[in-house]
Amino acid sequence: MATLHLLSHSPFSDERFASCLRLLGERDGLLLSGDAVHALQPGTAPRDALERLPASVALLVLEDDLNARGLSDRQPARARVIDYPGFVDACLQYAKVNSWL
Amino acid sequence: MARSLLIVSRQAPWSGPHAREALDMALAGGAYDLPIALLFLDDGVFQLQRGQQPGALEQKDLGANLQALPLFGVESLYACRHSLQTRGLAEDTLLLPVQVLDAPGLRELLDAHDEVVTI
Amino acid sequence: MKFAIALFAAPHSPASRRALRFAEAVLAGGHEIVRVFLYQDGVHSASANAVAPQDERDITADWQRFVERHGLDGVVCIAAALRRGVLDTDEARRYGRPAANLAPGWQLSGLGQLHEAVQTADRLVCFGGP
């Protein structure tokens, strides 16, 4: 029963990112949207934490939010950039979606 | 069989209506006899602090409502050990009898439910 | 597949647009939306009185059109809505308020409707935050 975790808060000003990583299961997925995309900023602790996640954890990034923040050519190789249809598909690939509201 | 819902309450009690609205969601599910579990995480564990005086802020007593959860059929109550420890809350001083979970336990709890809402 | 979509953030939050884009993609993908449920600050997305600046997207109008065009079950938590000043004509009369502002396409109801949607849908997807 793997979970897709949906984050939208910046990891630099908010605890959700850290708590989410603590709860993340090996088969879970992590979808960065909104300000959570700032976690991909190179040379930062959140970016390092994402790079260190087990290979079994899928890292997804919502395309609009990535592009808006000027990070479109700076995402890590393991990240998969998805559009809204891809977002819908991702929800169905996991048993449930945990949005960190 | 009814689908189970885990509600994760991670807002401090007096920072606005969000803690109460998480509780209301749990109570409403309990009233419909649905399998509901409630997990206190992050600042949400401050809801479990004893000796709160909400009257000082002209607020209703959230703690009293939390204690009514079992009466509404919501008996699966959990708190995150890391959240308690980092906030200086001792497990034996809490307002409610909750099961305190480490990270592996939290992951199992999440896995065991059909849906989750983290407020 | 059947989706339940719950929105917890105000219309000026990017989460409201994200939820709408997601909902559009759900239907475009041939899936079903069993209910759109507005809770917490999400209830403001059902206000008929929000006025967006002329050069900005009017997300409350977009939501209203979307719910009406597709005949969706758009439910607004009544307790959260009353607290935040989103009233239908019945509630405005009941509480002696000068105007109702619930946009067409939406109806006020209880939290039980969210739980029912969880039972009916294959996936609950919540939107909130920035």
Side-chain angles (χ1 to χ4, degrees):
Chain A
M1 292 262 292
T3 302
L4 177 65
H5 293 266
L6 174 60
L7 285 168
S8 64
H9 289 73
S10 167
F12 299 100
S13 60
D14 186 89
E15 200 179 2
R16 287 171 177 84
F17 182 82
S19 293
C20 176
L21 292 195
R22 209 173 324 115
L23 261 72
L24 206 58
E26 281 195 352
R27 301 278 154 211
D28 286 354
L30 183 59
L31 170 50
L32 304 178
S33 69
D35 282 347
V37 167
H38 289 302
L40 297 174
Q41 191 72 28
T44 64
R47 166 81 177 230
D48 289 348
L50 292 175
E51 304 263 23
R52 283 197 307 270
L53 287 175
S56 55
V57 172
L59 177 62
L60 309 175
V61 187
L62 196 57
E63 186 176 30
D64 287 2
D65 290 326
L66 181 73
N67 291 346
R69 287 163 181 79
L71 290 161
S72 51
D73 56 353
R74 311 180 76 177
Q75 76 270 21
R78 65 176 299 166
R80 188 156 62 86
V81 179
I82 59 170
D83 56 11
Y84 279 92
F87 187 173
V88 174
D89 290 342
C91 292
L92 296 174
Q93 283 161 16
Y94 293 85
K96 56 184 166 284
V97 181
N98 184 20
S99 300
W100 291 73
L101 300 170
Chain B
M1 210 172 77
R3 304 183 77 224
S4 57
L5 174 65
L6 172 66
I7 298 170
V8 184
S9 183
R10 51 177 307 286
Q11 301 290 329
W14 310 116
S15 60
H18 290 159
R20 172 162 298 280
E21 286 170 333
L23 172 63
D24 286 346
M25 191 185 285
L27 293 172
Y32 283 90
D33 268 340
L34 295 170
I36 305 283
L38 185 59
L39 164 67
F40 297 92
L41 181 74
D42 296 340
D43 277 354
V45 297
F46 283 131
Q47 297 174 42
L48 302 173
Q49 175 116 283
R50 281 188 191 272
Q52 297 178 50
Q53 296 178 32
L57 301 173
E58 300 169 70
Q59 298 288 319
K60 284 189 294 185
D61 190 352
L62 183 73
N65 297 124
L66 285 170
Q67 286 169 317
L69 278 163
L71 302 175
F72 283 80
V74 183
E75 286 156 353
S76 305
L77 305 173
Y78 305 89
C80 165
R81 177 163 287 131
H82 179 267
S83 304
L84 290 170
Q85 285 177 346
T86 53
R87 287 164 179 80
L89 286 165
E91 292 173 23
D92 55 0
T93 64
L94 304 177
L95 189 73
L96 280 178
V98 293
Q99 200 176 327
V100 178
L101 299 175
D102 293 313
L106 294 172
R107 277 181 224 122
E108 282 172 28
L109 183 68
L110 191 56
D111 278 350
H113 288 82
D114 293 312
E115 293 288 2
V116 56
V117 175
T118 299
I119 296 182
Chain C
M1 299 292 269
K2 295 177 178 176
F3 284 82
I5 295 173
L7 174 58
F8 291 67
H12 52 260
S13 160
S16 188
R17 175 187 177 274
R18 201 177 304 131
L20 180 59
R21 290 287 167 273
F22 179 84
E24 289 167 348
V26 166
L27 295 185
H31 304 292
E32 183 187 342
I33 297 175
V34 298
R35 182 164 292 149
V36 179
F37 191 88
L38 307 184
Y39 193 41
Q40 296 191 332
D41 291 346
V43 302
H44 292 297
S45 290
S47 168
N49 277 0
V51 180
Q54 278 187 0
D55 54 352
E56 288 182 20
R57 276 209 83 96
D58 188 346
I59 202 79
T60 54
D62 288 349
W63 265 117
Q64 186 200 330
R65 273 193 294 273
F66 178 74
V67 168
E68 285 202 307
R69 186 188 317 131
H70 299 287
L72 298 181
D73 188 15
V75 176
V76 185
C77 172
I78 187 166
L82 291 178
R83 185 196 284 279
R84 292 169 176 84
V86 177
L87 309 181
D88 63 9
T89 48
D90 284 352
E91 299 305 315
R93 196 177 304 121
R94 189 194 321 273
Y95 293 101
R97 295 301 190 266
N101 62 336
L102 184 72
W106 298 100
Q107 53 176 321
L108 300 181
S109 191
L111 266 174
Q113 299 288 310
L114 176 59
H115 287 290
E116 193 196 71
V118 167
Q119 298 302 317
T120 315
D122 298 299
R123 291 289 182 286
L124 166 71
V125 186
C126 300
F127 291 87

